[in-house]
Amino acid sequence: MSNNTNALAVLEQHKFELIPMSDDIKDIVAEEMDGLGAVPFDTIKIPSGGGLSFEVPGENEDNPIAATELVGVIVDHHPVNAMWLNDYDGSNNQPDCASFDGKTAVDSNGECKNCGTCPYNQFGSDRKGGKGKACKNMHRIYILMSGQVIPTLLVLPPSSIASWRNYIGKKIVVKGKRPWMVLTKVTLKKEKNENGIAYSQAVFTKVADLAPAECAEIKPLAESFKAMTRSIAMQSADTFVEGAGQGGFEEIDGDENPFA
């Protein structure tokens, strides 16, 4: 059995249905969203307290669907940094300083900051006197699941970034692949931080390589989504995960070999 046949067999097993955005849908979106901006992305939430089920948006926003795993194609991903001057109080506030590439940030006064040298982005800057950072380093992942026309956003807290880095570095890029060329499964496992607070850590597994035909359909979709995904505003309620802060997160220097 060929590799392409194997890939198709696994896609069928997971009942993954790829639905490219047709020209008709593009025309409808362009006309109906005129003056309203881009179509908003739904956000999958990682639970607090070490829960093992994601909160996936359903038809009713007040009643999310519990899912123990996410299976789909990751069409885009990028780092984001955000800092709030005040502690999270349950409000849905935009950060006082934010970066959409993990390198350059803009604060509430419109001033540009270098994330690499910013004192708030150094370990030990935690306002509570801990070992963590005042700035929260996160990673956004856009996953296109079966039957979807646009992807859903999953925001990884600092404690899940190492898991993502290991997956994409060791299982994807060294194989000559892009994330949108494989079917990925995301699950959760329970961990505890240095203060004994339980939190949920994302775990990534490659399900199968997509066949060339699927890749040919996914590639232009992934490229078109990037124009929208890199400018979505951050809000505290979408990024807060209890127990999964910077404390206890081991920093890896950008020049360190990620495949060691």
Side-chain angles (χ1 to χ4, degrees):
M1 185 178 289
S2 68
N3 290 335
N4 289 349
T5 303
N6 281 328
L8 291 171
V10 175
L11 290 177
E12 183 177 351
Q13 175 187 348
H14 285 270
K15 299 179 180 179
F16 184 85
E17 181 183 7
L18 176 62
I19 303 181
M21 186 178 291
S22 66
D23 291 337
D24 288 342
I25 295 179
K26 291 179 182 178
D27 290 341
I28 292 173
V29 170
E31 182 177 344
E32 299 298 338
M33 297 300 294
D34 185 28
L36 297 175
V39 175
F41 292 93
D42 282 333
T43 300
I44 299 170
K45 293 187 178 181
I46 294 177
S48 61
L52 300 180
S53 295
F54 297 97
E55 292 184 13
V56 181
E59 292 297 328
N60 186 333
E61 293 185 0
D62 295 328
N63 294 302
I65 300 169
T68 56
E69 66 178 33
L70 309 171
V71 177
V73 178
I74 295 172
V75 294
D76 192 23
H77 70 95
H78 64 94
V80 289
N81 292 341
M83 185 191 70
W84 288 267
L85 294 175
N86 299 314
D87 292 335
Y88 179 68
D89 60 1
S91 303
N92 204 16
N93 303 318
Q94 292 188 2
D96 296 286
C97 186
S99 169
F100 289 97
D101 62 3
K103 299 176 183 179
T104 303
V106 178
D107 65 18
S108 56
N109 295 319
E111 296 183 8
C112 291
K113 306 288 185 179
N114 184 326
C115 294
T117 58
C118 178
Y120 293 111
N121 196 33
Q122 310 303 319
F123 283 92
S125 62
D126 189 331
R127 294 187 301 274
K128 296 181 179 180
K131 299 178 181 179
K133 299 179 181 181
C135 181
K136 189 173 183 180
N137 303 151
M138 298 163 287
H139 206 91
R140 283 180 165 179
I141 291 177
Y142 292 86
I143 181 167
L144 187 66
M145 294 183 286
S146 180
Q148 288 186 333
V149 177
I150 61 173
T152 305
L153 170 61
L154 174 65
V155 182
L156 297 182
S159 51
S160 288
I161 293 179
S163 177
W164 167 248
R165 178 173 52 241
N166 287 336
Y167 172 66
I168 192 172
K170 296 179 180 179
K171 305 299 182 182
I172 307 300
V173 298
V174 295
K175 308 293 184 181
K177 299 284 186 179
R178 300 280 188 176
W180 48 263
M181 299 172 74
V182 305
L183 192 63
T184 296
K185 179 172 71 174
V186 192
T187 55
L188 295 169
K189 69 175 180 178
K190 185 176 180 179
E191 296 286 358
K192 288 185 178 181
N193 67 11
E194 61 183 8
N195 297 318
I197 299 175
Y199 64 91
S200 306
Q201 184 182 70
V203 178
F204 299 87
T205 306
K206 190 180 83 168
V207 176
D209 294 324
L210 267 63
E214 278 79 24
C215 291
E217 290 187 86
I218 286 287
K219 183 178 180 180
L221 286 176
E223 292 175 347
S224 65
F225 286 134
K226 284 187 178 181
M228 298 182 285
T229 57
R230 304 301 175 103
S231 59
I232 299 173
M234 281 177 277
Q235 295 180 320
S236 54
D238 293 333
T239 58
F240 177 78
V241 178
E242 182 181 1
Q246 298 279 11
F249 178 66
E250 182 180 358
E251 182 177 27
I252 295 182
D253 189 275
D255 295 329
E256 184 175 330
N257 180 6
F259 312 124

